[in-house]
């Protein structure tokens, strides 16, 4: 057995997403960045579309978001494993509902995330965007 079919058996993807939430809640930027693959890509559609790739760009994206948190920030709404990864509904650093889709590398790192405000029409497309191969 090999390939993507074995990926889910190699590590607990949901636990990795919970670690991501914990790092965000704890404002632990280093721990958060360590969860991402070196060439990870983040696409945020929660306002203007932002795309960040690689550790330096991810740090620039996350640093201001972890600095100013509301009390309800990074609250878990729902977490759902999928064939491609994990879908997480949570409260943003501003306390607003967000859906984010995670895909993972073979070495148990976050390879790609795509997020949108939970109420946006584009939110439904987020899963398709994150699931596409580069």
């Amino acid at each position: 057995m090999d390939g993507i079919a074995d990926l889910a058996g190699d590590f607990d993807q949901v636990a990795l997403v919970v670690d991501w939430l914990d790092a965000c809640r704890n404002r632990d930027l280093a721990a958060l960045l360590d969860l991402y693959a070196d060439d990870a890509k983040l696409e945020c559609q929660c306002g203007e579309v932002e795309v960040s790739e690689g550790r330096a760009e991810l740090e620039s994206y996350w640093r201001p978001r972890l600095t100013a948190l509301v009390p309800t920030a990074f609250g878990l709404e729902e977490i759902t494993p999928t064939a491609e990864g994990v879908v997480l509904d949570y409260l943003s650093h501003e306390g607003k509902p967000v859906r984010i889709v995670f895909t993972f590398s073979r070495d148990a790192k976050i390879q790609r995330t795509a997020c949108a405000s939970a109420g946006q029409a584009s939110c439904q497309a987020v899963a398709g965007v994150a699931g596409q191969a580069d």
Side-chain angles (χ1 to χ4, degrees), residues 4 7 11-14 16-17 35 84-86 102-112:
I4 298 297
L7 187 59
F11 68 98
D12 187 341
Q13 296 177 355
V14 171
L16 184 59
V17 172
L35 296 173
E84 294 80 29
V86 174
F102 293 83
T103 56
F104 303 95
S105 65
R106 294 185 192 280
D107 61 345
K109 297 285 188 175
I110 299 167
Q111 185 65 55
R112 187 169 181 167

Side-chain angles (χ1 to χ4, degrees), residues 67-83:
T67 301
L69 301 179
V70 300
T72 58
F74 300 103
L76 173 64
E77 297 288 303
E78 186 172 347
I79 191 165
T80 309
T82 69

Side-chain angles (χ1 to χ4, degrees), residues 27-68:
R27 300 178 185 195
D28 190 340
L29 183 60
L32 178 65
L33 294 174
D34 286 345
L35 296 173
Y36 285 91
D38 291 338
D39 61 344
K41 186 173 184 178
L42 177 152
E43 183 173 343
C44 178
Q45 300 175 24
C46 295
E48 289 186 31
V49 174
E50 291 184 57
V51 176
S52 302
E53 194 162 358
R55 189 175 180 101
E57 289 184 20
L58 290 172
E59 182 175 350
S60 294
Y61 175 87
W62 280 113
R63 183 175 298 282
R65 287 163 176 80
L66 297 181
T67 301

